[in-house]
Every structure is written in C-alpha cells, then in structure tokens.
Amino acid sequence: MIRFSPAHKGGLSLLDADAPSSPLSRASLLAVVSSHRVTDCDDVRAIDRSEKEERGRVMKKEELDYVLVPLGLAVMAGYHAWLLLRVRRRPATTVIGVNAINRRIWVRHIMEDPSGKHAVLAVQTIRNNIMASTLLASTAITLSSLIAVLMSSGGRDTSSGGGGGNGLLPGAPLVVGATGAPALSAKFFAILVCFLVAFLLNVQSIRYYSHASVLVNVPPRAHRRRAAVGYVTGVVNRGSYFWSLGARAFYFSCPVFLWLFGPIPMFVACVAMVCALYFLDVCDDWEKEEEEEDDQGRGAHGDDRSAGQRKDAEQQV
C-alpha cells in the first residue's frame, strides 16, 4: 500500500511502497501532485494580488496629501495676498489699515503735545505691547523646543525598530493619508517652522517697540526735522505689523498641526480659518462713516483739519 506525507509546504513524499507499483497507482500519484502544484500557484497569485491591492490603497491615500495639502496652502496664501492688496489700496476697509491710521494720529498727538503730559501714557502703552510680543515669543520658542524633542524621540524609535515605521502614531487607524516615518517627520518639521517664524517675528516686534519707547518722547522741535513724526509712526507701525505676522504664524500652525491626522482635516481647517479671518480682518464701518461725513460737507475748521489728518494718515499706511 502507498502512503504519502507532506515533506515541505506544497510537496509530498513517499513513505513506503509495500505494494507493487502499477500504472493506475502512478497515475493517481501524478494527479495528486499536479493538484497540489496548481493549488500552490493559485495561493501565490492570490497573495500577489492582495499585496498589489494593498499598495494601491496606500498610494491612493498618499495622493490625498499631494492634492489637498497644496490646495489648503494655496487657499491661505491667496487670502493673505488679497488682504495685502486691500490694505495697500483701501486701508480704511481693513482692521490692519484702520489701526495703522489711528496709531499714526496717536503718535502725532503724543509728540506734538507741548505740555508732555501724555509721555508716561505713551511709554506704558508701548510697554504693554512689548509684554504681549514677549509672551508670544516665549510661547513660540517653548513649543519649538517641544516639537524638536518629539521629532528626535520619534526618530530614535523608528531607527531602533520599536515604532513599526509609524513613529509617534503607531498604526494610525483614523489617519487618511501618508502615515509613514518620512511623512510624520515632514509634518512635525512644518509645525516647527511655523513656531520658529512666529518667534522671529515677535522678536522683531519687540525690537521696534523698544526703539519707539524712546523716540515717541522726543519733541519734533528738538531736531527741527519735519519727518520726525513720520519716522516714529513708521517704527510703531512696523512693530505692530510684525506682531500681527507673528500671530498669523500661530494661526497657520493650527491647520499644519491638524495635518498630523490627515490632509482632509488640514484642508477643512484652512478653509474655515480663511472664512473666520475674513470677518476679523475686514472693516467697512470706518470708510462708510468717512463717506457720510464727506457727503454732509461739514464746514467747521476743526472738522476739516481732522479729516485732513485722517486722509494723510491713510496715504502713509
């Protein structure tokens, strides 16, 4: 009698052959061996097909990062480009422009006051701005250090093989997009860049405010230069502009942080932030009020003088 035993995966071995061999027994043996080979080939093809399907799904997920992330960045960049043009052309319709106009009027009022009774108020106001910039700069450099530590620890885990190639988000079952170690490093690096830029911008804001705290108390008649007031107002406005840019770097870090959970939350956050910033940046009340005053045609000398000052301040923004 003939008995068979598996010698290896997908193969058979002849244990004993006590009975004499016959054409029928040989044919049965060949049929059994052929069926096993066919089964093994089908298994290999199925494994290859499943691997290709898995790679295809991974590539489709990574394609979302290639499409949605640049699109979200383009939405943010396009909005700020539009805002810059609006501030330059119609400053009275934006919060940034209106604040710059009022700062210019405030500095002129402080410096041209012959009594000097507002000098302490001016220094205290600029000191408050310095404290706000210092707070944001300290927060930015602290978060940058934290992100750097997370990046270094994630890199060690990946290199040692304990992270499974997914770094600080093992498995990442809820992330639709790239979840490998290179993608995670790129995301953390983008967050780190946002905080470092915020730190540098707030440092520049502190620099300009420190200069303005001295210049604002210098009377214009002391050095006989008509451009003194304009120079000081420019320094104060630059300090405020750098502070605003530093705050927007913090805003920009929120969608980049959500990129850790996939490109879809990042893109949705970019669109939502642009909508929110539009309502925070646009201000039409100031321009409408000026148009109403111009239509009324007030003839008082004081009103004409203040209106002229506002027009000059708008042109100098």
PDB file of all heavy atoms in Angstrom, residues 88-113:
ATOM      1  N   ARG A  88      -3.101  97.850   1.106  1.00  0.00           N
ATOM      2  CA  ARG A  88      -2.349  98.860   0.374  1.00  0.00           C
ATOM      3  C   ARG A  88      -3.250  99.821  -0.392  1.00  0.00           C
ATOM      4  O   ARG A  88      -2.965 101.020  -0.469  1.00  0.00           O
ATOM      5  CB  ARG A  88      -1.379  98.186  -0.599  1.00  0.00           C
ATOM      6  CG  ARG A  88      -0.339  97.302   0.064  1.00  0.00           C
ATOM      7  CD  ARG A  88       0.587  98.096   0.949  1.00  0.00           C
ATOM      8  NE  ARG A  88       1.331  99.098   0.193  1.00  0.00           N
ATOM      9  CZ  ARG A  88       2.142  99.999   0.739  1.00  0.00           C
ATOM     10  NH1 ARG A  88       2.287 100.028   2.062  1.00  0.00           N
ATOM     11  NH2 ARG A  88       2.783 100.860  -0.008  1.00  0.00           N
ATOM     12  N   ARG A  89      -4.343  99.330  -0.942  1.00  0.00           N
ATOM     13  CA  ARG A  89      -5.191 100.167  -1.797  1.00  0.00           C
ATOM     14  C   ARG A  89      -6.343 100.816  -1.033  1.00  0.00           C
ATOM     15  O   ARG A  89      -6.659 101.980  -1.275  1.00  0.00           O
ATOM     16  CB  ARG A  89      -5.746  99.321  -2.949  1.00  0.00           C
ATOM     17  CG  ARG A  89      -4.667  98.802  -3.900  1.00  0.00           C
ATOM     18  CD  ARG A  89      -5.265  97.924  -4.976  1.00  0.00           C
ATOM     19  NE  ARG A  89      -4.230  97.424  -5.899  1.00  0.00           N
ATOM     20  CZ  ARG A  89      -4.488  96.610  -6.921  1.00  0.00           C
ATOM     21  NH1 ARG A  89      -5.732  96.191  -7.146  1.00  0.00           N
ATOM     22  NH2 ARG A  89      -3.491  96.202  -7.708  1.00  0.00           N
ATOM     23  N   ARG A  90      -6.953 100.075  -0.138  1.00  0.00           N
ATOM     24  CA  ARG A  90      -8.099 100.599   0.630  1.00  0.00           C
ATOM     25  C   ARG A  90      -7.876 100.286   2.107  1.00  0.00           C
ATOM     26  O   ARG A  90      -8.516  99.413   2.678  1.00  0.00           O
ATOM     27  CB  ARG A  90      -9.401  99.965   0.130  1.00  0.00           C
ATOM     28  CG  ARG A  90      -9.717 100.247  -1.336  1.00  0.00           C
ATOM     29  CD  ARG A  90     -10.928  99.455  -1.786  1.00  0.00           C
ATOM     30  NE  ARG A  90     -12.094  99.767  -0.993  1.00  0.00           N
ATOM     31  CZ  ARG A  90     -13.245  99.080  -1.041  1.00  0.00           C
ATOM     32  NH1 ARG A  90     -13.346  98.021  -1.820  1.00  0.00           N
ATOM     33  NH2 ARG A  90     -14.269  99.432  -0.291  1.00  0.00           N
ATOM     34  N   PRO A  91      -6.965 100.987   2.752  1.00  0.00           N
ATOM     35  CA  PRO A  91      -6.650 100.660   4.158  1.00  0.00           C
ATOM     36  C   PRO A  91      -7.813 100.897   5.106  1.00  0.00           C
ATOM     37  O   PRO A  91      -7.886 100.259   6.160  1.00  0.00           O
ATOM     38  CB  PRO A  91      -5.467 101.580   4.472  1.00  0.00           C
ATOM     39  CG  PRO A  91      -5.584 102.699   3.506  1.00  0.00           C
ATOM     40  CD  PRO A  91      -6.151 102.117   2.253  1.00  0.00           C
ATOM     41  N   ALA A  92      -8.709 101.827   4.762  1.00  0.00           N
ATOM     42  CA  ALA A  92      -9.825 102.136   5.664  1.00  0.00           C
ATOM     43  C   ALA A  92     -10.881 101.039   5.690  1.00  0.00           C
ATOM     44  O   ALA A  92     -11.829 101.127   6.487  1.00  0.00           O
ATOM     45  CB  ALA A  92     -10.488 103.457   5.263  1.00  0.00           C
ATOM     46  N   THR A  93     -10.728 100.003   4.873  1.00  0.00           N
ATOM     47  CA  THR A  93     -11.692  98.905   4.865  1.00  0.00           C
ATOM     48  C   THR A  93     -11.149  97.659   5.561  1.00  0.00           C
ATOM     49  O   THR A  93     -11.800  96.613   5.520  1.00  0.00           O
ATOM     50  CB  THR A  93     -12.078  98.546   3.421  1.00  0.00           C
ATOM     51  OG1 THR A  93     -10.904  98.143   2.704  1.00  0.00           O
ATOM     52  CG2 THR A  93     -12.718  99.730   2.724  1.00  0.00           C
ATOM     53  N   THR A  94      -9.978  97.749   6.178  1.00  0.00           N
ATOM     54  CA  THR A  94      -9.394  96.610   6.890  1.00  0.00           C
ATOM     55  C   THR A  94      -9.038  97.027   8.317  1.00  0.00           C
ATOM     56  O   THR A  94      -8.749  98.201   8.580  1.00  0.00           O
ATOM     57  CB  THR A  94      -8.128  96.104   6.179  1.00  0.00           C
ATOM     58  OG1 THR A  94      -7.156  97.149   6.142  1.00  0.00           O
ATOM     59  CG2 THR A  94      -8.446  95.671   4.753  1.00  0.00           C
ATOM     60  N   VAL A  95      -9.056  96.062   9.195  1.00  0.00           N
ATOM     61  CA  VAL A  95      -8.716  96.331  10.590  1.00  0.00           C
ATOM     62  C   VAL A  95      -7.248  96.743  10.709  1.00  0.00           C
ATOM     63  O   VAL A  95      -6.901  97.643  11.489  1.00  0.00           O
ATOM     64  CB  VAL A  95      -9.015  95.091  11.453  1.00  0.00           C
ATOM     65  CG1 VAL A  95      -8.536  95.294  12.885  1.00  0.00           C
ATOM     66  CG2 VAL A  95     -10.506  94.786  11.439  1.00  0.00           C
ATOM     67  N   ILE A  96      -6.379  96.103   9.917  1.00  0.00           N
ATOM     68  CA  ILE A  96      -4.960  96.454   9.965  1.00  0.00           C
ATOM     69  C   ILE A  96      -4.750  97.898   9.525  1.00  0.00           C
ATOM     70  O   ILE A  96      -4.000  98.663  10.146  1.00  0.00           O
ATOM     71  CB  ILE A  96      -4.154  95.487   9.080  1.00  0.00           C
ATOM     72  CG1 ILE A  96      -4.257  94.067   9.630  1.00  0.00           C
ATOM     73  CG2 ILE A  96      -2.701  95.919   8.987  1.00  0.00           C
ATOM     74  CD1 ILE A  96      -3.590  93.021   8.752  1.00  0.00           C
ATOM     75  N   GLY A  97      -5.412  98.310   8.460  1.00  0.00           N
ATOM     76  CA  GLY A  97      -5.268  99.678   7.983  1.00  0.00           C
ATOM     77  C   GLY A  97      -5.844 100.698   8.939  1.00  0.00           C
ATOM     78  O   GLY A  97      -5.250 101.764   9.174  1.00  0.00           O
ATOM     79  N   VAL A  98      -7.005 100.405   9.505  1.00  0.00           N
ATOM     80  CA  VAL A  98      -7.625 101.349  10.449  1.00  0.00           C
ATOM     81  C   VAL A  98      -6.760 101.512  11.691  1.00  0.00           C
ATOM     82  O   VAL A  98      -6.571 102.636  12.198  1.00  0.00           O
ATOM     83  CB  VAL A  98      -9.047 100.860  10.818  1.00  0.00           C
ATOM     84  CG1 VAL A  98      -9.617 101.674  11.970  1.00  0.00           C
ATOM     85  CG2 VAL A  98      -9.963 100.954   9.614  1.00  0.00           C
ATOM     86  N   ASN A  99      -6.208 100.413  12.194  1.00  0.00           N
ATOM     87  CA  ASN A  99      -5.323 100.515  13.357  1.00  0.00           C
ATOM     88  C   ASN A  99      -4.056 101.304  13.035  1.00  0.00           C
ATOM     89  O   ASN A  99      -3.570 102.092  13.862  1.00  0.00           O
ATOM     90  CB  ASN A  99      -4.946  99.114  13.844  1.00  0.00           C
ATOM     91  CG  ASN A  99      -6.121  98.384  14.460  1.00  0.00           C
ATOM     92  OD1 ASN A  99      -7.096  98.992  14.876  1.00  0.00           O
ATOM     93  ND2 ASN A  99      -6.033  97.067  14.510  1.00  0.00           N
ATOM     94  N   ALA A 100      -3.518 101.140  11.823  1.00  0.00           N
ATOM     95  CA  ALA A 100      -2.331 101.902  11.427  1.00  0.00           C
ATOM     96  C   ALA A 100      -2.643 103.390  11.337  1.00  0.00           C
ATOM     97  O   ALA A 100      -1.833 104.236  11.745  1.00  0.00           O
ATOM     98  CB  ALA A 100      -1.797 101.377  10.098  1.00  0.00           C
ATOM     99  N   ILE A 101      -3.803 103.711  10.827  1.00  0.00           N
ATOM    100  CA  ILE A 101      -4.205 105.127  10.743  1.00  0.00           C
ATOM    101  C   ILE A 101      -4.323 105.738  12.133  1.00  0.00           C
ATOM    102  O   ILE A 101      -3.823 106.847  12.402  1.00  0.00           O
ATOM    103  CB  ILE A 101      -5.540 105.245   9.975  1.00  0.00           C
ATOM    104  CG1 ILE A 101      -5.346 104.842   8.507  1.00  0.00           C
ATOM    105  CG2 ILE A 101      -6.095 106.659  10.072  1.00  0.00           C
ATOM    106  CD1 ILE A 101      -6.649 104.677   7.757  1.00  0.00           C
ATOM    107  N   ASN A 102      -4.947 105.035  13.046  1.00  0.00           N
ATOM    108  CA  ASN A 102      -5.120 105.565  14.398  1.00  0.00           C
ATOM    109  C   ASN A 102      -3.797 105.640  15.158  1.00  0.00           C
ATOM    110  O   ASN A 102      -3.595 106.556  15.959  1.00  0.00           O
ATOM    111  CB  ASN A 102      -6.127 104.700  15.162  1.00  0.00           C
ATOM    112  CG  ASN A 102      -7.551 104.950  14.718  1.00  0.00           C
ATOM    113  OD1 ASN A 102      -8.190 105.912  15.144  1.00  0.00           O
ATOM    114  ND2 ASN A 102      -8.058 104.102  13.845  1.00  0.00           N
ATOM    115  N   ARG A 103      -2.911 104.689  14.918  1.00  0.00           N
ATOM    116  CA  ARG A 103      -1.590 104.776  15.559  1.00  0.00           C
ATOM    117  C   ARG A 103      -0.820 105.991  15.065  1.00  0.00           C
ATOM    118  O   ARG A 103      -0.124 106.656  15.846  1.00  0.00           O
ATOM    119  CB  ARG A 103      -0.796 103.492  15.298  1.00  0.00           C
ATOM    120  CG  ARG A 103      -1.158 102.338  16.201  1.00  0.00           C
ATOM    121  CD  ARG A 103      -0.141 101.224  16.080  1.00  0.00           C
ATOM    122  NE  ARG A 103      -0.064 100.709  14.727  1.00  0.00           N
ATOM    123  CZ  ARG A 103      -0.797  99.696  14.267  1.00  0.00           C
ATOM    124  NH1 ARG A 103      -1.663  99.084  15.071  1.00  0.00           N
ATOM    125  NH2 ARG A 103      -0.662  99.281  13.028  1.00  0.00           N
ATOM    126  N   ARG A 104      -0.933 106.280  13.772  1.00  0.00           N
ATOM    127  CA  ARG A 104      -0.236 107.444  13.239  1.00  0.00           C
ATOM    128  C   ARG A 104      -0.783 108.733  13.852  1.00  0.00           C
ATOM    129  O   ARG A 104      -0.019 109.640  14.210  1.00  0.00           O
ATOM    130  CB  ARG A 104      -0.386 107.472  11.713  1.00  0.00           C
ATOM    131  CG  ARG A 104       0.490 108.484  11.019  1.00  0.00           C
ATOM    132  CD  ARG A 104       0.424 108.279   9.521  1.00  0.00           C
ATOM    133  NE  ARG A 104       1.020 107.021   9.124  1.00  0.00           N
ATOM    134  CZ  ARG A 104       2.311 106.856   8.900  1.00  0.00           C
ATOM    135  NH1 ARG A 104       3.153 107.877   9.038  1.00  0.00           N
ATOM    136  NH2 ARG A 104       2.784 105.691   8.536  1.00  0.00           N
ATOM    137  N   ILE A 105      -2.099 108.825  14.003  1.00  0.00           N
ATOM    138  CA  ILE A 105      -2.698 110.007  14.635  1.00  0.00           C
ATOM    139  C   ILE A 105      -2.297 110.085  16.107  1.00  0.00           C
ATOM    140  O   ILE A 105      -2.012 111.157  16.650  1.00  0.00           O
ATOM    141  CB  ILE A 105      -4.227 109.957  14.471  1.00  0.00           C
ATOM    142  CG1 ILE A 105      -4.594 110.039  12.989  1.00  0.00           C
ATOM    143  CG2 ILE A 105      -4.888 111.083  15.242  1.00  0.00           C
ATOM    144  CD1 ILE A 105      -6.079 109.831  12.718  1.00  0.00           C
ATOM    145  N   TRP A 106      -2.247 108.926  16.784  1.00  0.00           N
ATOM    146  CA  TRP A 106      -1.890 108.901  18.202  1.00  0.00           C
ATOM    147  C   TRP A 106      -0.448 109.355  18.424  1.00  0.00           C
ATOM    148  O   TRP A 106      -0.164 110.142  19.323  1.00  0.00           O
ATOM    149  CB  TRP A 106      -2.079 107.474  18.731  1.00  0.00           C
ATOM    150  CG  TRP A 106      -1.649 107.269  20.139  1.00  0.00           C
ATOM    151  CD1 TRP A 106      -2.308 107.675  21.273  1.00  0.00           C
ATOM    152  CD2 TRP A 106      -0.457 106.613  20.592  1.00  0.00           C
ATOM    153  NE1 TRP A 106      -1.610 107.305  22.405  1.00  0.00           N
ATOM    154  CE2 TRP A 106      -0.466 106.646  22.011  1.00  0.00           C
ATOM    155  CE3 TRP A 106       0.598 105.995  19.955  1.00  0.00           C
ATOM    156  CZ2 TRP A 106       0.543 106.086  22.774  1.00  0.00           C
ATOM    157  CZ3 TRP A 106       1.611 105.434  20.703  1.00  0.00           C
ATOM    158  CH2 TRP A 106       1.583 105.489  22.099  1.00  0.00           C
ATOM    159  N   VAL A 107       0.468 108.880  17.590  1.00  0.00           N
ATOM    160  CA  VAL A 107       1.871 109.284  17.741  1.00  0.00           C
ATOM    161  C   VAL A 107       2.027 110.779  17.471  1.00  0.00           C
ATOM    162  O   VAL A 107       2.761 111.480  18.188  1.00  0.00           O
ATOM    163  CB  VAL A 107       2.761 108.461  16.790  1.00  0.00           C
ATOM    164  CG1 VAL A 107       4.175 109.022  16.757  1.00  0.00           C
ATOM    165  CG2 VAL A 107       2.787 107.011  17.238  1.00  0.00           C
ATOM    166  N   ARG A 108       1.340 111.289  16.459  1.00  0.00           N
ATOM    167  CA  ARG A 108       1.423 112.721  16.183  1.00  0.00           C
ATOM    168  C   ARG A 108       0.880 113.536  17.356  1.00  0.00           C
ATOM    169  O   ARG A 108       1.441 114.579  17.721  1.00  0.00           O
ATOM    170  CB  ARG A 108       0.653 113.052  14.902  1.00  0.00           C
ATOM    171  CG  ARG A 108       0.743 114.522  14.509  1.00  0.00           C
ATOM    172  CD  ARG A 108      -0.070 114.854  13.287  1.00  0.00           C
ATOM    173  NE  ARG A 108       0.494 114.232  12.097  1.00  0.00           N
ATOM    174  CZ  ARG A 108      -0.104 113.283  11.396  1.00  0.00           C
ATOM    175  NH1 ARG A 108      -1.291 112.830  11.795  1.00  0.00           N
ATOM    176  NH2 ARG A 108       0.461 112.784  10.327  1.00  0.00           N
ATOM    177  N   HIS A 109      -0.208 113.054  17.957  1.00  0.00           N
ATOM    178  CA  HIS A 109      -0.778 113.767  19.100  1.00  0.00           C
ATOM    179  C   HIS A 109       0.184 113.742  20.293  1.00  0.00           C
ATOM    180  O   HIS A 109       0.338 114.751  20.994  1.00  0.00           O
ATOM    181  CB  HIS A 109      -2.106 113.125  19.483  1.00  0.00           C
ATOM    182  CG  HIS A 109      -2.687 113.658  20.753  1.00  0.00           C
ATOM    183  ND1 HIS A 109      -3.174 114.945  20.875  1.00  0.00           N
ATOM    184  CD2 HIS A 109      -2.852 113.069  21.977  1.00  0.00           C
ATOM    185  CE1 HIS A 109      -3.621 115.140  22.107  1.00  0.00           C
ATOM    186  NE2 HIS A 109      -3.433 114.013  22.791  1.00  0.00           N
ATOM    187  N   ILE A 110       0.843 112.608  20.526  1.00  0.00           N
ATOM    188  CA  ILE A 110       1.773 112.500  21.653  1.00  0.00           C
ATOM    189  C   ILE A 110       2.992 113.400  21.441  1.00  0.00           C
ATOM    190  O   ILE A 110       3.431 114.121  22.349  1.00  0.00           O
ATOM    191  CB  ILE A 110       2.203 111.034  21.854  1.00  0.00           C
ATOM    192  CG1 ILE A 110       1.015 110.175  22.290  1.00  0.00           C
ATOM    193  CG2 ILE A 110       3.327 110.932  22.883  1.00  0.00           C
ATOM    194  CD1 ILE A 110       0.422 110.513  23.631  1.00  0.00           C
ATOM    195  N   MET A 111       3.552 113.393  20.252  1.00  0.00           N
ATOM    196  CA  MET A 111       4.796 114.112  20.015  1.00  0.00           C
ATOM    197  C   MET A 111       4.590 115.618  19.862  1.00  0.00           C
ATOM    198  O   MET A 111       5.479 116.407  20.218  1.00  0.00           O
ATOM    199  CB  MET A 111       5.482 113.550  18.767  1.00  0.00           C
ATOM    200  CG  MET A 111       5.927 112.116  18.908  1.00  0.00           C
ATOM    201  SD  MET A 111       6.880 111.527  17.492  1.00  0.00           S
ATOM    202  CE  MET A 111       8.354 112.559  17.647  1.00  0.00           C
ATOM    203  N   GLU A 112       3.451 116.021  19.357  1.00  0.00           N
ATOM    204  CA  GLU A 112       3.211 117.446  19.144  1.00  0.00           C
ATOM    205  C   GLU A 112       2.568 118.121  20.340  1.00  0.00           C
ATOM    206  O   GLU A 112       2.298 119.335  20.287  1.00  0.00           O
ATOM    207  CB  GLU A 112       2.343 117.639  17.910  1.00  0.00           C
ATOM    208  CG  GLU A 112       3.038 117.241  16.611  1.00  0.00           C
ATOM    209  CD  GLU A 112       2.163 117.452  15.398  1.00  0.00           C
ATOM    210  OE1 GLU A 112       0.963 117.769  15.601  1.00  0.00           O
ATOM    211  OE2 GLU A 112       2.661 117.301  14.271  1.00  0.00           O
ATOM    212  N   ASP A 113       2.309 117.387  21.403  1.00  0.00           N
ATOM    213  CA  ASP A 113       1.748 117.991  22.606  1.00  0.00           C
ATOM    214  C   ASP A 113       2.852 118.765  23.341  1.00  0.00           C
ATOM    215  O   ASP A 113       3.828 118.162  23.819  1.00  0.00           O
ATOM    216  CB  ASP A 113       1.176 116.914  23.522  1.00  0.00           C
ATOM    217  CG  ASP A 113       0.429 117.503  24.707  1.00  0.00           C
ATOM    218  OD1 ASP A 113       0.204 118.726  24.725  1.00  0.00           O
ATOM    219  OD2 ASP A 113       0.086 116.730  25.627  1.00  0.00           O
TER     220      ASP A 113
END
